[in-house]
Amino acid sequence: MRKLSLIVIGLLLVPTFLLTSCDQGDEPEVLTPAFTLMKDYMINNNLDIDKIITNADGEKFVVGAPAEADLASFLAKYYIIDIRSGTDFAKNHIEGAKNVTFKDILNEGAAAGSKPVLVVCYTGQTACYATALMRLYGYSHTRALKWGMSGWNTTTAGSWNNNIKDVAKGTPSWSYDKEIAPLVLSDPIISSLSQNGEAILKSRVEQAVQDGFKTVTNADVVANPSGYFINNFFSGADYIGFGHLTNAYRILPLTLASNSYKGLEPTPGAKVVTYCYTGQTSAVITACLRVLGYDAYSLTFGMNGLYHSNSAWTSNQWSVGSSVPKELPLVN
């Protein structure tokens, strides 16, 4: 009898449970995509791509080596980190510079305190990549030494002197066609359990630092341009005047706020390659794109490695005009 009573009570409670469940059964919360949260945070905090290229105080991501008369004030201004190998640093470096591995750049940003950081490498390209990541992390006054140690002294100029080339000249991979209409594609998908844009961004930057600088060579892209989604960071006039890699999309300007980034290929494994004149701006763009979730790469040495003898040059051509190494002092 007791057993029967328990069964009856249980049956009577079932409808109550179901009704209660229905009353509490709101629709599951729809989470905002991690990319959207990060994108909104970047736009609202002066961390859009254009603000990484030139920060809110008008400081571009690179600064050239100083005139000899200004050397003392230049050295006093910056907390200088040299990310070259320990062996090369020991041979010669800028007075006061600290040798730091690439993976420790975020820690050094904190160690710098209130001083702006100057990142130094061989050619300026890896330093620019590091600078972009540090700016994205909150060290907005970080800058890279333009041309790297190659621009400091002729003794350390080999990395640039040995890499100016004309690998694209006269090949089917070089075109003077008009601009290709930009595509409108979807956002990258970022995996994150966080619903905090700042936390997502910092985690993405930390991962990019651990992964290191991602590059492709000019020879590889020229040999197989269809194997890459190619971005050209030239002005409209230079896109035609210099010519460009076949099927390259011109992406200047490129920002999150304007949605111009939607012209980039977000599919995982689709190699998004950006090139510029020197490989330094493309390093900054590549850092931003990798953090945003693109499979992004920088084409090393830019136009200087693709078609250095091109007659359309007016600036940023290595070894011409002001783009030559200075004879500033080195210590060891």
Side-chain angles (χ1 to χ4, degrees):
M1 196 67 179
R2 177 187 171 106
K3 187 174 182 180
L4 179 61
S5 299
L6 289 173
I7 293 172
V8 171
I9 291 170
L11 290 172
L12 290 171
L13 288 173
V14 168
T16 304
F17 173 76
L18 292 173
L19 288 170
T20 304
S21 299
C22 290
D23 290 342
Q24 295 177 349
D26 296 331
E27 289 294 323
E29 183 182 358
V30 177
L31 300 179
T32 303
F35 178 89
T36 302
L37 293 167
M38 183 172 65
K39 169 188 171 181
D40 291 345
Y41 176 80
M42 290 170 68
I43 292 171
N44 294 330
N45 289 275
N46 288 320
L47 295 172
D48 203 341
I49 298 169
D50 58 331
K51 295 298 189 298
I52 300 303
I53 292 174
T54 303
N55 68 19
D57 293 322
E59 297 169 337
K60 197 174 179 185
F61 65 92
V62 289
V63 60
E68 191 165 4
D70 300 324
L71 179 60
S73 59
F74 183 89
L75 296 179
K77 177 178 179 179
Y78 292 104
Y79 182 91
I80 304 173
I81 62 174
D82 186 327
I83 57 174
R84 295 177 302 153
S85 74
T87 300
D88 288 335
F89 179 84
K91 288 178 182 175
N92 45 52
H93 57 267
I94 297 170
E95 183 179 357
K98 182 178 180 181
N99 193 211
V100 174
T101 65
F102 185 91
K103 291 186 177 182
D104 284 334
I105 58 174
L106 299 180
N107 292 331
E108 286 305 315
S114 59
K115 264 193 169 185
V117 175
L118 180 70
V119 189
V120 178
C121 68
Y122 297 95
T123 65
Q125 296 173 90
T126 307
C128 285
Y129 192 78
T131 292
L133 293 174
M134 291 181 72
R135 285 188 169 199
L136 285 166
Y137 206 70
Y139 304 124
S140 62
H141 295 290
T142 303
R143 305 180 84 175
L145 180 65
K146 187 173 183 179
W147 306 114
M149 289 300 290
S150 294
W152 192 264
N153 190 289
T154 52
T155 303
T156 50
S159 295
W160 262 108
N161 290 340
N162 297 332
N163 283 285
I164 53 174
K165 298 177 181 178
D166 281 336
V167 297
K169 182 179 180 180
T171 71
S173 297
W174 199 252
S175 170
Y176 293 87
D177 292 342
K178 65 181 183 180
E179 291 184 37
I180 307 169
L183 304 174
V184 180
L185 300 168
S186 58
D187 291 346
I189 297 174
I190 293 174
S191 177
S192 175
L193 297 177
S194 177
Q195 284 285 285
N196 180 288
E198 180 181 14
I200 296 168
L201 174 61
K202 292 209 165 186
S203 176
R204 297 286 304 174
V205 172
E206 289 164 3
Q207 186 60 57
V209 170
Q210 294 307 303
D211 291 343
F213 188 20
K214 300 297 183 179
T215 65
V216 292
T217 68
N218 40 51
D220 285 344
V221 177
V222 168
N224 182 30
S226 63
Y228 303 91
F229 187 93
I230 305 174
N231 297 326
N232 170 293
F233 205 77
F234 285 6
S235 68
D238 285 349
Y239 183 87
I240 298 298
F242 278 97
H244 49 85
L245 285 166
T246 302
N247 297 327
Y249 292 89
R250 193 176 74 83
I251 60 165
L252 176 63
L254 179 69
T255 66
L256 297 172
S258 68
N259 284 330
S260 52
Y261 74 92
K262 286 184 175 288
L264 308 179
E265 175 55 70
T267 304
K271 289 191 172 183
V272 177
V273 175
T274 304
Y275 75 98
C276 63
Y277 304 97
T278 67
Q280 295 173 107
T281 305
S282 65
V284 171
I285 298 296
T286 298
C288 293
L289 295 185
R290 289 202 74 84
V291 168
L292 289 166
Y294 293 94
D295 188 18
Y297 301 80
S298 181
L299 189 148
T300 52
F301 300 98
M303 184 69 184
N304 278 284
L306 288 168
Y307 197 163
H308 180 263
S309 68
N310 193 300
S311 60
W313 281 105
T314 56
S315 64
N316 285 319
Q317 183 184 25
W318 175 253
S319 75
V320 176
S322 62
S323 301
V324 295
K326 297 184 179 179
E327 299 302 339
L328 294 169
L330 295 164
V331 297
N332 52 31

